[in-house]
Amino acid sequence: MLKNNEQSNQTLPHSLSLNNRESLNLSGVLEVISATENTINIKSSYGHITINGTKLKIKNLNEAEKELQIQGMVTEIKYNNGKKRFLEKCFK
């Protein structure tokens, strides 16, 4: 993306709400990069987010409102800066 778009993306509100580790609601979602039953990778207005768990599924994606709903057992939510470490690149 262009730098101007990146700057405007950070002005989008971003929130995360996890209920009983089984229902996750996110706002400020720009793109779902990948989704499996165990991992969902998201690009948000505040960086990349990796969600790990079991039986994860996307319940609802509202692109106009930039909102995402996920169901399943969430075990980890990790914010990434989008850069992979050297060894991660080698063993992908």
Side-chain angles (χ1 to χ4, degrees):
M1 279 188 174
L2 299 173
K3 288 184 180 182
N4 291 339
N5 288 342
E6 288 176 5
Q7 290 172 352
S8 65
N9 287 339
Q10 285 193 331
T11 61
L12 289 175
H14 171 66
S15 68
L16 182 143
S17 172
L18 179 62
N19 298 314
N20 298 323
R21 293 179 65 179
E22 294 177 349
S23 177
L24 178 62
N25 297 313
L26 296 128
S27 66
V29 174
L30 302 176
E31 177 183 3
V32 175
I33 298 168
S34 65
T36 68
E37 189 175 77
N38 298 315
T39 303
I40 298 175
N41 290 301
I42 298 165
K43 181 178 179 184
S44 79
S45 56
Y46 280 81
H48 288 80
I49 303 170
T50 301
I51 300 158
N52 292 313
T54 56
K55 297 184 181 177
L56 297 176
K57 66 178 182 176
I58 295 174
K59 182 179 176 184
N60 187 29
L61 173 60
N62 185 331
E63 292 183 40
E65 297 293 322
K66 309 285 189 218
E67 296 176 344
L68 176 66
Q69 294 177 334
I70 297 171
Q71 285 189 324
M73 180 53 70
V74 176
T75 57
E76 180 181 36
I77 300 170
K78 181 179 176 183
Y79 283 83
N80 307 309
N81 63 3
K83 296 179 183 176
K84 293 188 176 185
R85 291 177 281 180
F86 176 74
L87 290 176
E88 288 176 330
K89 290 179 185 178
C90 292
F91 296 106
K92 183 176 179 183

